[in-house]
Amino acid sequence: MVEVTVTPQSSLADRPVRVQVRGLSPSQLVTLRASLTDEHGERFQSRAFFHADGAGEVDPGRHAATGGSYAGVWPMGLFWFLQPDTLFRRLVKRDVAGSPFLVRLEVFDGLQLVTGPQDQPLASCEAQRWYVGPGVQRVPIKEGRVRGALFLPP
């Protein structure tokens, strides 16, 4: 049975996570895809193609992607290379304290350049990427023409 995991499952957006796929056949060609929908409903995604190792595992931190959104060994490549489905959109988090970005990670058999609703992943999981740590307080600043936010630790 194929399984994809992200460790830790919930983390701050600037902290590295480890993505692993297990249960593949040795040398199996797979597509690993990351996707998220921002607060405006815009979808961002990245994908990378991998060959499983002799144990049937894929780890972007140890194995080189052979193509897709990037190539080579990039442990956080699926997160760093997220691109919008609509050109010229930017990935911006507005509600930094209230909710995380939910990044869905999926693994597909073979090369998947375009994924339709009929394409079912072999496995999937979800990662929470927070922009503010637990207990941090956000205080809006408005003084004359100066605008900003002060983040106070717990």
Side-chain angles (χ1 to χ4, degrees):
M1 180 169 172
V2 178
E3 176 186 34
V4 59
T5 59
V6 59
T7 309
Q9 187 265 334
S10 181
S11 65
L12 290 173
D14 63 346
R15 300 285 187 236
V17 295
R18 183 171 185 193
V19 177
Q20 289 182 291
V21 181
R22 292 187 177 106
L24 300 169
S25 301
S27 300
Q28 182 177 352
L29 179 62
V30 294
T31 300
L32 200 51
R33 181 178 74 175
S35 61
L36 71 84
T37 303
D38 72 4
E39 295 153 332
H40 297 291
E42 187 64 41
R43 184 174 152 146
F44 293 77
Q45 58 182 332
S46 63
R47 68 187 74 238
F49 313 129
F50 293 93
H51 285 280
D53 64 11
E57 296 181 358
V58 168
D59 181 346
R62 294 186 300 122
H63 304 116
T66 58
S69 301
Y70 66 94
V73 178
W74 291 80
M76 294 292 294
L78 290 167
F79 294 88
W80 291 342
F81 291 96
L82 287 165
Q83 293 294 314
D85 286 353
T86 305
L87 291 177
F88 307 114
R89 301 289 183 185
R90 291 181 41 193
L91 183 58
V92 177
K93 182 72 172 144
R94 301 281 183 212
D95 180 19
V96 295
S99 64
F101 270 142
L102 299 176
V103 181
R104 183 168 177 78
L105 297 163
E106 299 171 305
V107 59
F108 294 91
D109 187 28
L111 293 176
Q112 294 284 332
L113 295 174
V114 178
T115 310
Q118 74 279 4
D119 297 314
Q120 294 299 314
L122 298 173
S124 65
C125 71
E126 200 167 70
Q128 295 179 358
R129 303 294 281 170
W130 290 90
Y131 281 77
V132 175
V136 172
Q137 188 179 23
R138 181 182 187 273
V139 179
I141 303 296
K142 192 183 230 184
E143 186 68 37
R145 295 185 327 189
V146 175
R147 303 288 183 266
L150 173 64
F151 292 87
L152 297 171

